[in-house]
Amino acid sequence: QVQLVESGGGLVQAGGSLRLSCATSGGTLSGYGMGWFRQAPGKEREFLAAINWSGGITYYAGSEKGRFTISRDNTKNTVYLQMNSLKLEDTAVYYCAATRSAIGGPGTSNPLYYDYWGQGTQVTVSS
């Protein structure tokens, strides 16, 4: 079982940046593809980005590509989401998730593709 813990959320002004982290509280992320999602109040969970276990393949939602960058450091069992030029509409709870399945296919953006989820970290963008 993989237990994921997100951190790095908080309050930021529009136009600012945040870097979210996702680490395991036990175990390893070795062999797992990882994804980042977000969910705003009253909305469905939205896919943002994913990365394969080696870090060699990344996959982005078209709407956020260019502002958000996913990366991972397997020596630290940690996955990151760098978010730049933040907008008010980026306000949401951000979740990381792990999957044993391959990253890059059409299922990558589907929450059902992922086996383990963190509890989420709140990101609030203010004007």
Side-chain angles (χ1 to χ4, degrees), residues 2-85:
V2 176
Q3 293 180 316
L4 303 173
V5 180
E6 302 94 339
S7 62
L11 178 64
V12 62
Q13 284 194 320
S17 298
L18 280 176
R19 188 177 78 158
L20 305 183
S21 299
C22 172
T24 56
S25 61
T28 176
L29 294 180
S30 177
Y32 285 93
M34 300 296 297
W36 282 99
F37 292 76
R38 68 184 177 190
Q39 189 165 19
K43 295 189 177 182
E44 293 186 353
R45 193 160 295 191
E46 176 187 14
F47 170 78
L48 298 173
I51 190 167
N52 76 328
W53 70 272
S54 70
I57 297 173
T58 56
Y59 189 85
Y60 292 93
S63 59
E64 306 308 338
K65 191 173 183 179
R67 292 198 301 128
F68 292 0
T69 303
I70 190 170
S71 62
R72 66 189 297 162
D73 184 342
N74 286 338
T75 66
K76 297 181 179 179
N77 280 312
T78 302
V79 179
Y80 305 98
L81 184 69
Q82 177 68 43
M83 306 187 295
N84 299 326
S85 302

Side-chain angles (χ1 to χ4, degrees), residues 104-115:
T108 300
S109 61
N110 188 337
L112 297 176
Y113 203 65
Y114 295 80
D115 305 303

